Amino acid sequence: MKKILGISGIVIVLMIVIGVFVFFKPDGKADLFTFDRETAFLKKDYNEENYPIVREINVNKVRYEKLIVLIQAELEEGKLSYEVMDPSGQVRISDSFSEGDYEKLEEFEPKRGVWKVIIQVDEHDQGRIRVAFFDDAQKDELHYREPEDKSNMQDRPEDK
């Protein structure tokens, strides 16, 4: 009887270990960190009680070298401003932009804790904004436009 209980205990422990490995680390992606939200705002739906928009991102994994913050927006009307604050309350990004497409990508040392993105919207603004936080292991998977390095470009005839 004791042998059966001992073997059963070993089998259960092995099943738990295998289950943890299978469900939490099938391809190493369990260690990846991702937060990605898009928010739309319309002038006709503006209600002062709903603004500013605050996104809280709990960065609970810091096993990577860089935390990537991506802000993308399509602003049809108005002027938008936002801030990104790290868990210590330090403003890491502060920017504003007017109508049109906007994109900003920044890399930071990862800090465990709650990061905040505060987006200032008023009754004149209409558009949408995407806030995304990724770890550097996923940088190649991001859908963003790399800024062109124009320092080595020669003038083209049409530019003159």
Side-chain angles (χ1 to χ4, degrees):
M1 184 72 168
K2 288 183 179 183
K3 283 185 178 182
I4 293 174
L5 288 174
I7 292 173
S8 297
I10 292 171
V11 169
I12 290 171
V13 168
L14 285 173
M15 288 176 60
I16 291 171
V17 169
I18 291 170
V20 166
F21 178 76
V22 168
F23 289 108
F24 292 107
K25 272 195 156 300
D27 57 3
K29 292 197 174 193
D31 286 335
L32 299 180
F33 175 78
T34 302
F35 172 90
D36 196 348
R37 297 289 184 277
E38 187 169 301
T39 303
F41 42 92
L42 303 172
K43 291 186 338 182
K44 68 178 182 129
D45 295 336
Y46 179 78
N47 181 346
E48 192 173 308
E49 294 174 7
N50 298 331
Y51 299 100
I53 299 169
V54 178
R55 294 283 178 251
E56 293 187 347
I57 302 93
N58 187 9
V59 176
N60 53 7
K61 297 179 182 178
V62 292
R63 295 184 193 145
Y64 41 89
E65 292 183 26
K66 296 288 180 187
L67 176 66
I68 299 169
V69 177
L70 173 66
I71 307 290
Q72 291 177 321
E74 294 174 15
L75 191 57
E76 297 168 20
E77 295 181 38
K79 183 178 180 178
L80 204 64
S81 62
Y82 70 92
E83 290 183 336
V84 176
M85 294 176 18
D86 70 15
S88 67
Q90 179 183 359
V91 175
R92 303 303 295 267
I93 306 173
S94 181
D95 204 359
S96 62
F97 54 94
S98 297
E99 297 173 15
D101 293 344
Y102 173 88
E103 185 169 285
K104 186 160 191 117
L105 178 96
E106 295 280 341
E107 295 182 0
F108 301 103
E109 293 297 321
K111 280 188 176 181
R112 186 182 304 266
V114 177
W115 290 65
K116 288 185 181 181
V117 179
I118 302 168
I119 305 161
Q120 300 294 336
V121 178
D122 66 26
E123 66 272 8
H124 305 292
D125 300 330
Q126 181 160 311
R128 62 184 177 181
I129 188 165
R130 175 185 178 203
V131 175
F133 281 55
F134 298 90
D135 60 56
D136 56 351
Q138 302 175 78
K139 184 175 182 178
D140 294 336
E141 298 174 23
L142 291 178
H143 300 286
Y144 72 94
R145 297 175 301 277
E146 286 278 0
E148 289 183 25
D149 180 11
K150 297 184 179 183
S151 61
N152 295 326
M153 290 180 64
Q154 297 177 354
D155 288 338
R156 298 175 294 183
E158 61 267 21
D159 290 340
K160 294 183 177 181

